[in-house]
Amino acid sequence: MTERPAVLFVCVHNAGRSQMAAGFLQALAGDRIDVLSAGSEPKDRLNPVAVAVMAEDGIDIAGSTPKLLTVDAVRESDVVITMGCGDACPIFPGKRYEDWALDDPAGQDHETVRRIRDDIRVRVETLIDELTA
């Protein structure tokens, strides 16, 4: 791993789970970890419920935009965390890969998305501890 690790969060639409994870990692790790997020089939905008529940936790992801997953994004990353995108993510030797089994927040109510958000936060906090130990 490089001196400052890079983490890539990937989900299908890059509009909910991966954006929430990236928002938490950026807010909680600051400049200790580089943060990327992408999707195998990105939407044109973020899930508004995801934006709202993140704001409740003091994290503003409203300015983020869904991005297409590229081979370069995977190549730049030390850790690649997938969330329901299956085999869409290219595999490179020497990378750490994890798949976080998380419900998709698309079409869900605020309470459900809050539970997903809280699960993501715990996972991101653990990841930060592992990468900065």
Side-chain angles (χ1 to χ4, degrees):
M1 230 179 285
T2 58
E3 225 174 277
R4 185 164 124 168
V7 175
L8 170 63
F9 294 104
V10 183
C11 67
V12 176
H13 298 131
N14 192 223
R17 294 168 287 191
S18 56
Q19 291 285 352
M20 289 190 287
F24 275 128
L25 187 57
Q26 187 67 57
L28 300 174
D31 62 0
R32 296 178 293 162
I33 300 172
D34 290 331
V35 183
L36 303 157
S37 73
S40 53
E41 299 173 23
K43 290 283 190 185
D44 59 344
R45 65 187 181 101
L46 296 191
N47 177 332
V49 179
V51 172
V53 301
M54 289 297 286
E56 292 172 359
D57 229 17
I59 298 174
D60 181 8
I61 62 170
S64 299
T65 55
K67 294 170 226 40
L68 180 63
L69 175 64
T70 64
V71 170
D72 287 342
V74 178
R75 190 177 288 126
E76 291 172 23
S77 302
D78 299 295
V79 180
V80 179
I81 297 177
T82 58
M83 305 169 187
C85 61
D87 296 331
C89 198
I91 304 294
F92 288 96
K95 306 281 182 200
R96 173 178 162 186
Y97 291 89
E98 289 184 27
D99 184 56
W100 289 359
L102 296 161
D103 292 333
D104 188 346
Q108 302 292 334
D109 62 26
H110 283 71
E111 192 56 42
T112 301
V113 179
R114 282 185 193 104
R115 283 193 303 274
I116 297 167
R117 174 203 63 199
D118 294 346
D119 187 2
I120 290 171
R121 182 182 186 119
V122 169
R123 292 171 189 248
V124 167
E125 288 170 342
T126 300
L127 181 66
I128 291 168
D129 289 344
E130 293 170 358
L131 294 177
T132 60

